Amino acid sequence: MTDYGSAVLFLVLGVLLIGVDGYLITGNGRVFLRDTYQSAEAAAAANRLTVALFHLVALGLLALLAIAPPSGGGFLAVLGRLGVLLLVLAAIHGATMGVFSLLRSRQHEARLLGQSRSQTSSEAHIDASHGIANDVPAREPYIAPTLDDRR
């Protein structure tokens, strides 16, 4: 006979833990991404999408853990499953922070690339041998074609 009471207790505690962790990720992710994106709306959207992914993965794993065969009876089964859930939540939390970090570094690189392109295209070049400024616009660096481009 299946112990529905311990499964329900596990699900309730799991949803509460996931909700609290999601709340922490939402608030801290907003602060983490605020200076990353040029608009607050873009930062909020990236934060919501990442938090939604966190919730979907965490709740899916919670459902899978809820139907796993218990290792003991009653309280011990709930305690064992909660231990596994906490470890899985820690891994998912770390992965979510990795996604935030990746988003931040990509936006930072794009911003730096955009700034360097705007600076080189608007500045006049100095002739290194004579120290004379000329009005030749900066050229984009040559990028060799890849094998995919040659096909």
Side-chain angles (χ1 to χ4, degrees):
M1 175 160 218
T2 307
D3 184 15
Y4 290 110
S6 65
V8 169
L9 177 63
F10 171 71
L11 286 171
V12 168
L13 291 174
V15 167
L16 286 174
L17 285 171
I18 291 169
V20 168
D21 197 19
Y23 177 77
L24 293 173
I25 290 172
T26 301
N28 293 322
R30 186 179 308 120
V31 172
F32 190 75
L33 294 176
R34 183 180 304 148
D35 64 339
T36 302
Y37 288 88
Q38 292 181 2
S39 71
E41 294 85 20
N47 188 36
R48 281 191 303 270
L49 289 171
T50 306
V51 171
L53 179 64
F54 165 80
H55 280 108
L56 289 173
V57 171
L59 290 171
L61 287 169
L62 176 68
L64 291 175
L65 284 173
I67 63 169
S71 59
F75 179 73
L76 292 178
V78 172
L79 190 61
R81 286 179 179 167
L82 278 177
V84 173
L85 177 65
L86 287 172
L87 292 173
V88 169
L89 271 179
I92 297 170
H93 187 96
T96 304
M97 298 316 309
V99 168
F100 281 144
S101 180
L102 182 66
L103 289 171
R104 187 176 192 173
S105 66
R106 284 189 180 172
Q107 287 297 321
H108 183 68
E109 288 171 7
R111 190 177 313 136
L112 288 177
L113 184 62
Q115 287 174 356
S116 68
R117 283 188 179 168
S118 67
Q119 287 175 353
T120 57
S121 64
S122 64
E123 294 176 351
H125 286 273
I126 305 283
D127 187 348
S129 61
H130 302 294
I132 301 170
N134 60 29
D135 293 331
V136 176
R139 291 181 11 195
E140 293 293 320
Y142 174 74
I143 300 174
T146 63
L147 290 175
D148 292 334
D149 294 337
R150 294 180 188 173
R151 292 182 189 168

